[in-house]
Amino acid sequence: MTRTGRHVLISGASIAGPALAYWLHRAGYAVTVVEKAGALRGGGYPVDIRGTAIEVVRRMGILPGLRDAHIDSRRLTFLDADGGKVASLTPSAVSGGVEGQDLEIRRGDLAASLYAAVRDDVEFLFGDAIDVLDDHENGVDVTFRSGRRRTYDLVVGADGMHSRTRESLFGPEERFHRYLGYCFAIFTLPNTFGLSREVMMWNSPGKAAALYAVGDDDELHGFLNFHRPGPALDVPRNPGAQRDLVASAFAGAGWEGVAAMVDAMRDADDLFFDTAGQIRMPAWSRGRVALVGDAAYAPSFLTGQGSSLALAGAYMLANSLAAYGDHRAAFAAYERDLRPFVAMNQALVDNGAATLFPTTERALEQRDRGLRDLLTLPAAPPRPAHSALTLPEFALPR
Ligand SMILES: Cc1cc2nc3c(=O)[nH]c(=O)nc-3n(C[C@H](O)[C@H](O)[C@H](O)COP(=O)(O)OP(=O)(O)OC[C@H]3O[C@@H](n4cnc5c(N)ncnc54)[C@H](O)[C@@H]3O)c2cc1C
């Protein structure tokens, strides 16, 4: 049953958007999702679903399908600057995931699974976007880029790190972006390295080149990450200049695999370039508009927790709306209950999560010693607190 007078517009159909749509529908809301891409974006780099987020997808009934899509990387091999092997480990020993429980999925497969769980119950508008938001006492008037105009009771921005919803509500991204000192490029390349269900990572101080073989297919995901002092605003926006910047950062690398990756990066038609950063906001809502997932609290890829936070955040926001009905009380409860968990995840970058990408010779030696030590540690570390938020039972709508 849809509750009259409860129509929510969600901007963004990746992870947080469809998950929120699912739970809001369960709570009796009518939901529309607008996505600027013409269709669901498929494929993509692997993301992790851990701890609390596993419980969210279990409650959605999509866990068995996601287990089938689990990449199940068998090995993570670290190479030194000359391409020599430093250590070869199970990925969970390094990533903070729990083997046998947590999942690693292509981002596009996760998005497709979330979408399939909700597409029959929710309206999706692909190839459109919010142009103007006018939030007033009785609702939010929305003008779309297509010219369509509608009024909603609530609007939620699930439109990622560079959220337009956040910008139109709270102002420019620079106010909330914490640059973490790295730029990165991801792209696909032919699997000429003979890798299968594994990750290979080369490092020199301030530079990392990783190859992800997500299956037995002919394609690899390439990842080139390098240290660059701020500010992030100086980073070029033009794709040609971005390719040049990456190529110059990796020029003269001591392993021929890096040169092959740089060549492939130059030819790639799916290059994605960005800076590593976090979104830190003093408030996640204003009036009748709220933010969820990376738009509100991106923790950065250095933590491996972005998708899990997006799933947990979607659940907690929908649950608060179901429990309180009134959006002011609900948005306040969403922040009160989730903020400590978000803070714990964002703090990972200060507590050593970035040590996979050391910027000095000394730090790299230290990291390599740590990796070798891991070889002798007992397996199966306990579930860390940053992926162990206890979810409330989903509230019955008021
Ligand atoms: C290289 C890389 C590696 C990563 N590795 C991991 C990992 O190992 N583990 C992990 O958990 N996370 C990882 N992440 C992070 C993870 O991808 C994000 O945290 C997660 O996708 C956030 O989901 P989201 O739905 O909030 O935002 P996004 O996935 O960014 O989705 C935003 C959606 O909004 C749409 N959109 C944007 N603007 C508009 C607009 N104006 N109107 C309408 N729609 C719009 C976009 O097209 C997109 O579909 C990684 C990210 C990167 C870049």
Side-chain angles (χ1 to χ4, degrees):
M1 184 194 75
T2 298
R3 300 153 88 195
T4 47
R6 295 286 178 184
H7 196 171
V8 181
L9 173 68
I10 299 171
S11 175
S14 172
I15 314 290
L20 178 66
Y22 174 90
W23 288 106
L24 284 179
H25 170 71
R26 280 274 289 267
Y29 286 79
V31 183
T32 298
V33 182
V34 61
E35 163 60 51
K36 76 172 176 187
L40 210 63
R41 292 182 304 137
Y45 52 83
V47 296
D48 300 291
I49 312 176
R50 297 180 186 152
T52 309
I54 291 279
E55 181 58 15
V56 173
V57 294
R58 190 190 67 73
R59 292 184 190 185
M60 291 177 74
I62 58 173
L63 182 56
L66 292 177
R67 287 220 181 280
D68 290 344
H70 177 45
I71 292 167
D72 200 14
S73 293
R74 288 184 282 232
R75 218 175 15 236
L76 172 50
T77 303
F78 289 89
L79 305 180
D80 63 22
D82 300 323
K85 187 157 103 180
V86 174
S88 200
L89 302 149
T90 56
S92 59
V94 180
S95 69
V98 178
E99 204 167 344
Q101 294 176 36
D102 294 346
L103 297 176
E104 194 186 16
I105 309 262
R106 291 170 202 249
R107 193 207 53 80
D109 289 351
L110 174 57
S113 180
L114 294 165
Y115 173 65
V118 75
R119 72 176 158 216
D120 294 338
D121 300 317
V122 157
E123 179 189 33
F124 278 85
L125 306 172
F126 285 102
D128 205 353
I130 298 171
D131 191 19
V132 182
L133 282 175
D134 180 15
D135 179 14
H136 54 81
E137 206 183 320
N138 301 317
V140 190
D141 297 332
V142 178
T143 308
F144 292 85
R145 278 193 204 152
S146 59
R148 195 189 264 133
R149 298 176 78 160
R150 289 191 197 163
T151 299
Y152 296 88
D153 296 286
L154 303 172
V155 173
V156 181
D159 44 357
M161 179 93 190
H162 305 298
S163 166
R164 268 287 314 270
T165 314
R166 183 184 61 234
E167 189 181 27
S168 64
L169 205 65
F170 292 96
E173 182 172 317
E174 304 88 83
R175 284 193 205 156
F176 312 108
H177 186 268
R178 179 184 174 210
Y179 178 52
L180 296 173
Y182 298 92
C183 296
F184 66 89
I186 46 177
F187 50 95
T188 51
L189 70 162
N191 188 358
T192 52
F193 293 78
L195 301 178
S196 165
R197 290 186 187 276
E198 62 187 304
V199 185
M200 188 172 266
M201 173 144 29
W202 168 94
N203 282 94
S204 75
K207 285 162 203 159
L211 291 161
Y212 289 80
V214 298
D216 302 312
D217 35 307
D218 318 332
E219 211 169 62
L220 296 175
H221 293 273
F223 172 73
L224 293 167
N225 183 45
F226 59 99
H227 175 56
R228 189 170 195 267
L233 277 177
D234 291 350
V235 171
R237 311 233 156 172
N238 165 301
Q242 292 173 344
R243 284 177 211 264
D244 289 344
L245 179 65
V246 179
S248 68
F250 286 89
W255 178 48
E256 69 275 8
V258 174
M261 286 179 72
V262 169
D263 287 347
M265 184 268 307
R266 286 229 175 256
D267 294 341
D269 55 13
D270 62 350
L271 176 69
F272 176 75
F273 176 94
D274 207 348
T275 57
Q278 297 187 328
I279 296 297
R280 294 186 172 210
M281 304 192 64
W284 299 335
S285 68
R286 181 170 287 172
R288 292 174 170 272
V289 186
L291 301 171
V292 68
D294 271 9
Y297 34 75
S300 96
F301 73 83
L302 298 173
T303 68
Q305 285 287 110
S307 309
S308 293
L309 272 188
L311 288 166
Y315 182 93
M316 296 298 279
L317 175 54
N319 182 60
S320 295
L321 282 162
Y324 291 91
D326 173 65
H327 67 275
R328 282 161 296 227
F331 291 166
Y334 162 56
E335 282 210 39
R336 184 195 63 218
D337 296 341
L338 194 67
R339 203 171 258 285
F341 186 63
V342 164
M344 206 186 308
N345 275 284
Q346 295 198 322
L348 289 172
V349 297
D350 304 313
N351 303 340
T355 49
L356 266 190
F357 308 105
T359 54
T360 64
E361 195 77 55
R362 190 146 169 265
L364 182 54
E365 277 166 23
Q366 212 172 0
R367 186 210 67 174
D368 288 349
R369 264 199 307 279
L371 291 175
R372 290 189 194 101
D373 288 348
L374 282 177
L375 291 168
T376 57
L377 280 180
R383 164 81 55 210
H386 67 259
S387 59
L389 175 73
T390 303
L391 294 175
E393 279 307 311
F394 197 73
L396 291 173
R398 283 156 64 105

